[in-house]
Amino acid sequence: MGSVAGSNGKNGKQKSARDMILSLGLISLAAGVIYLFIPHDDSAPDLKRVDYRVELLTARRAASYPVAAPQGLSADWKATSVRFSGEDFDTWHLGFHDSEGEYVAVEQSAQKPSVFIDDATQSARETKVTQRIGDATWTRYEGEKYDALVLREKGSTTVVAGTASFDRLTKMAQALRTT
């Protein structure tokens, strides 16, 4: 008498392959059904508004230059990031998103202007275009990632940079106050 397992060899392999294919199909079907019924949102995440008042007061006390922050911007400008580093050339950063979803940052530092501007503008290049904002003359920079307005003053450099249009960058620069 022969072994039972030996007589079923070819049929057993075919049955195993068929069972694996059926199992794979059922798993794929289940995954598809789950995907359809689980809500998913492809929109950009809602960025949380930050309150930068405490950091601004700290920066204004500690920095070697007058620290700028906007006053009088409409509520559609949402502050989303803030930081001050006294160890790193008194570097001040205040980031915003505007109503059009564009990013605008106010950057200030006592660091060597050429190094700071390159970093703050994401390697944007200086143009020959200047514009008068208040009592100061700002220089336009254009780049692949960010455009910027740059103000060089004795002891510090101020950069208003981001993905927003020059009109929006100008609006931010107009709102900047040091007191």
Side-chain angles (χ1 to χ4, degrees):
M1 226 179 189
S3 125
V4 174
S7 65
N8 238 357
K10 192 172 183 183
N11 276 346
K13 287 180 184 176
Q14 287 175 341
K15 189 174 181 182
S16 284
R18 187 190 67 173
D19 288 346
M20 284 176 37
I21 291 170
L22 287 173
S23 294
L24 184 60
L26 285 172
I27 291 170
S28 297
L29 181 65
V33 168
I34 290 170
Y35 178 80
L36 288 174
F37 288 105
I38 292 181
H40 43 279
D41 186 7
D42 293 336
S43 63
D46 186 32
L47 298 170
K48 291 185 180 181
R49 184 180 299 269
V50 298
D51 184 354
Y52 58 88
R53 292 176 294 185
V54 172
E55 287 86 351
L56 177 60
L57 289 173
T58 301
R60 284 183 171 165
R61 286 186 194 129
S64 60
Y65 56 84
V67 173
Q71 287 181 2
L73 286 177
S74 60
D76 65 338
W77 290 85
K78 183 189 283 189
T80 57
S81 60
V82 61
R83 66 184 164 275
F84 174 74
S85 175
E87 305 87 41
D88 192 20
F89 304 101
D90 291 341
T91 302
W92 168 247
H93 162 85
L94 185 55
F96 287 83
H97 277 84
D98 69 7
S99 61
E100 299 165 6
E102 299 297 332
Y103 179 70
V104 176
V106 176
E107 309 277 358
Q108 284 185 288
S109 180
Q111 186 177 18
K112 181 180 174 183
S114 60
V115 174
F116 176 69
I117 292 168
D118 188 58
D119 185 47
T121 65
Q122 302 288 310
S123 301
R125 296 289 163 229
E126 183 176 357
T127 69
K128 297 195 184 296
V129 179
T130 60
Q131 66 187 84
R132 196 87 174 140
I133 300 173
D135 295 332
T137 301
W138 295 69
T139 303
R140 283 188 177 195
Y141 280 64
E142 294 179 355
E144 288 184 29
K145 187 169 182 180
Y146 287 169
D147 289 330
L149 296 171
V150 175
L151 177 63
R152 293 179 190 213
E153 297 177 294
K154 186 177 181 183
S156 69
T157 304
T158 303
V159 175
V160 176
T163 59
S165 67
F166 275 110
D167 287 342
R168 298 298 277 176
L169 297 176
T170 299
K171 183 125 180 109
M172 176 61 79
Q174 289 170 332
L176 292 179
R177 302 288 181 272
T178 57
T179 56

